[in-house]
Amino acid sequence: MAHEDDDLGKVWKLIEKIGFCMLTTQSGSDLRARPMAAHAEEIENAIYFLTDVASHKDDEIARHPNVCLAFADSKGQKYVSISGTAEVQNDREKIHDLWATPAKAWWDNADDPSIRVLKIIPSYAEYWDRPGTVISYIKMAAAAVSSSRPDMGDSAKVEM
């Protein structure tokens, strides 16, 4: 149980550290991904985003609420994939709570009536927390020479 708690904590820490992700939704039979600024709330077991009422992702989520969030810090070799259920909300108080600099690129202020909250309740996560790129290459080269497998850091599958 303690190991599972450690893995769950690591997932939340990586989400918070990376901050941006690709949100994948289903559009008919196709999958679509777009970059989004994530607001992680570990205590609520939720990840929030600000979105626009006119965006296609809101319609896609209404039809197919299962989504995937892919967080990547390729330079630091840290990755998280989250599967979860999404819902669009018109929670004006939460919009004000989430309002930050990235949102100013899309809206003038938090009172814009077109802003909505996208709430993801994660159900499953997988993470990879590797040493940086240079160290990874060194470990792979050493393993190739010694015919052994390199220690490439931590990874785990986590129920959320």
Side-chain angles (χ1 to χ4, degrees):
M1 181 71 168
H3 185 60
E4 290 173 11
D5 289 342
D6 291 346
D7 289 335
L8 185 58
K10 181 160 271 196
V11 166
W12 287 107
K13 183 184 281 186
L14 289 169
I15 290 170
E16 188 71 35
K17 180 179 191 247
I18 297 169
F20 285 85
C21 69
M22 294 297 287
L23 164 68
T24 303
T25 58
Q26 186 175 346
S27 175
S29 62
D30 295 323
L31 298 175
R32 297 189 58 225
R34 76 276 290 156
M36 302 283 288
H39 303 271
E41 296 287 344
E42 181 177 359
I43 293 170
E44 298 177 39
N45 190 45
I47 303 166
Y48 293 95
F49 303 90
L50 293 179
T51 186
D52 197 284
V53 70
S55 73
H56 295 291
K57 69 182 150 307
D58 296 4
D59 295 333
E60 294 164 3
I61 287 167
R63 285 190 298 279
H64 305 283
N66 292 331
V67 298
C68 180
L69 308 177
F71 293 83
D73 171 7
S74 60
K75 193 172 211 171
Q77 296 289 299
K78 296 168 186 345
Y79 307 92
V80 180
S81 176
I82 302 280
S83 299
T85 306
E87 70 174 290
V88 178
Q89 304 173 336
N90 189 10
D91 181 340
R92 307 317 295 176
E93 185 176 326
K94 192 66 170 176
I95 290 168
H96 280 272
D97 289 346
L98 298 175
W99 186 258
T101 301
K104 294 176 185 176
W106 305 106
W107 304 281
D108 291 331
N109 61 62
D111 295 318
D112 186 318
S114 66
I115 302 172
R116 296 293 184 268
V117 174
L118 176 57
K119 179 180 181 181
I120 311 298
I121 300 298
S123 56
Y124 181 81
E126 191 164 358
Y127 75 84
W128 300 264
D129 186 4
R130 313 267 195 236
T133 304
V134 172
I135 293 171
S136 293
Y137 285 140
I138 291 169
K139 286 184 172 197
M140 285 186 282
V145 170
S146 66
S147 298
S148 64
R149 291 203 168 249
D151 174 8
M152 297 303 291
D154 297 328
S155 66
K157 297 176 182 176
V158 182
E159 294 289 329
M160 298 187 70

